[in-house]
Amino acid sequence: MPLLEVVDLRTTFTTPAGLVRAVDGVSFSVESGETLGIAGESGSGKSVTALSIMRLHSRRTCSHPTGQILFEGRDLLHAPEKEMRRIRGNDIAMIFQDPMMSLNPVFTVGDQITEAVRIHHNRAKGAARERTLQVLRDVGMPDAERRAGEYPHQMSGGMRQRAMIAMALSCHPKVLIADEPTTALDVTIQAQILELVQDLQEKYQTAVIIITHDLGVMARLADKVLVMYAGRAVEYGSVDGVFYDPLMPYSWALLRSVPRLDGDPSARLLPIPGTLPSLISPPAGCPFHPRCSFAEDRCTSADPVLEEKRPSHHAACLLSAAQFAGRKSRADEELEASCE
């Protein structure tokens, strides 16, 4: 049984313009010690999926998510709020994308981390404080004792991000959800943080879900990749399968739109035309067809489902694996010829 399994998750928001289907039938699983990467453009539903797992959406605008979120066999969507408070931060922790909005501005960083340790691990104040200082040192916080006494506004963006990561790691969670965990960090500290996450994973067999626009980070950390578009899962498979032999035009276009160190330095980048569709009134058929280079007439009416096209490699596309491989190859040849 997977440590965490999400089945047909659907999350909607009520707005004056209509119902926003932010997450529309997403399914995936992650085992202990495994890393799942979630990729996609901004607005594709990645962060909403993560917040749905934690049940942190505002009840005023978000309807109760449907589907199943099974943690150690227990459906979190039907767990009482008291149980969720015990699970959040202890069993399932999250590194939020914007630490300035996530840290409490009226408490010091050290007090906030210490509170989490005391609540979940029932430690004395002194022991909890020592754990706080240790985890701040682990994430590369200089002069940890002094920084622990500072408020979030007294820190730089990178310092706040490290404090947010320290809080998430302080209780040794079984599942760590990292939403753009290294956005505000320079490359040196980024490497240290990623190494820390990997060390934690190896030591405690932590399952990691990482959401990032940095495909290089994802390629380094992830075992499996879920590609999302317009609130849906459009490709799901091993990191090698998705990155080196994608089966969905959106995944291929996403990879062609960013530079790669292991690719041809003279290769031209291929931007994805257009923008994400409305999640209130998405286009009929395949939601990606208005931007797809390989779209056919049937793509405007038939809605593809996520299906297994190769062993353990799923994609939502009307084209077969062989058809897409042929068109992808011709497109690559045409692009190389135009660069000569």
Side-chain angles (χ1 to χ4, degrees):
M1 178 186 296
L3 179 63
L4 178 69
E5 184 176 12
V6 175
V7 182
D8 196 29
L9 178 65
R10 298 175 189 272
T11 304
T12 59
F13 295 89
T14 303
T15 70
L19 195 66
V20 177
R21 296 175 177 83
V23 179
D24 193 5
V26 170
S27 299
F28 60 84
S29 64
V30 59
E31 307 275 356
S32 296
E34 188 177 52
T35 300
L36 170 71
I38 303 181
E41 295 170 278
S42 296
S44 59
K46 306 183 301 298
S47 295
V48 177
T49 299
L51 291 172
S52 296
I53 294 172
M54 302 285 285
R55 276 179 44 186
L56 287 176
H57 292 302
S58 170
R59 295 182 181 181
R60 290 178 297 176
T61 58
C62 178
S63 64
H64 189 76
T66 62
Q68 290 182 307
I69 300 174
L70 303 173
F71 174 67
E72 296 183 325
R74 177 81 164 93
D75 191 351
L76 299 185
L77 290 183
H78 297 97
E81 182 59 28
K82 183 178 180 180
E83 183 178 351
M84 285 303 303
R85 286 197 297 268
R86 181 187 61 79
I87 291 173
R88 293 190 198 108
N90 187 39
D91 293 325
I92 304 177
M94 184 168 178
I95 302 170
F96 294 94
Q97 188 170 354
D98 187 353
M100 193 60 183
M101 298 297 291
S102 306
L103 294 169
N104 194 320
V106 300
F107 292 99
T108 66
V109 165
D111 285 345
Q112 294 181 62
I113 299 174
T114 299
E115 180 186 23
V117 175
R118 293 191 70 187
I119 289 174
H120 292 300
H121 286 190
N122 195 28
R123 291 193 183 184
K125 187 175 181 179
R129 182 70 175 180
E130 183 56 38
R131 172 61 187 160
T132 296
L133 297 178
Q134 181 58 52
V135 76
L136 284 173
R137 296 186 192 103
D138 287 343
V139 298
M141 184 76 77
D143 197 358
E145 190 165 351
R146 180 171 66 87
R147 294 295 183 183
E150 293 183 347
Y151 293 87
H153 72 272
Q154 295 177 289
M155 296 183 173
S156 66
M159 292 275 190
R160 286 193 294 268
Q161 188 73 0
R162 276 179 259 182
M164 187 77 253
I165 294 170
M167 185 180 296
L169 299 179
S170 62
C171 295
H172 300 314
K174 295 178 181 178
V175 178
L176 177 65
I177 302 173
D179 189 359
E180 297 285 352
T182 57
T183 299
L185 305 179
D186 60 62
V187 291
T188 303
I189 300 301
Q190 181 185 92
Q192 292 176 5
I193 295 300
L194 295 178
E195 185 176 349
L196 175 66
V197 172
Q198 287 179 309
D199 289 345
L200 176 78
Q201 187 174 34
E202 292 174 4
K203 186 175 181 179
Y204 298 103
Q205 284 298 291
T206 304
V208 176
I209 299 175
I210 183 164
I211 300 168
T212 179
H213 293 286
D214 191 332
L215 298 181
V217 169
M218 190 171 294
R220 172 182 170 181
L221 289 182
D223 301 300
K224 299 187 297 188
V225 174
L226 176 74
V227 181
M228 293 187 65
Y229 182 79
R232 300 185 181 188
V234 295
E235 188 157 1
Y236 181 46
S238 68
V239 64
D240 289 339
V242 174
F243 274 36
Y244 295 102
D245 193 12
L247 296 177
M248 203 280 175
Y250 176 64
S251 305
W252 173 77
L254 197 66
L255 291 165
R256 290 303 305 265
S257 66
V258 295
R260 293 176 55 167
L261 293 177
D262 60 346
D264 183 355
S266 64
R268 182 184 300 174
L269 298 181
L270 189 65
I272 305 174
T275 59
L276 284 164
S278 167
L279 297 181
I280 298 175
S281 55
C286 174
F288 186 59
H289 85 260
R291 309 172 69 189
C292 182
S293 304
F294 310 131
E296 301 177 343
D297 290 341
R298 58 177 176 160
C299 299
T300 62
S301 56
D303 190 359
V305 297
L306 192 70
E307 60 182 357
E308 189 173 48
K309 292 182 176 288
R310 288 180 183 154
S312 301
H313 193 160
H314 298 71
C317 184
L318 297 178
L319 297 175
S320 68
Q323 287 175 320
F324 178 59
R327 298 187 187 190
K328 179 177 61 175
S329 178
R330 287 195 295 272
D332 286 337
E333 291 174 359
E334 290 173 3
L335 187 61
E336 289 177 5
S338 68
C339 295
E340 295 177 355

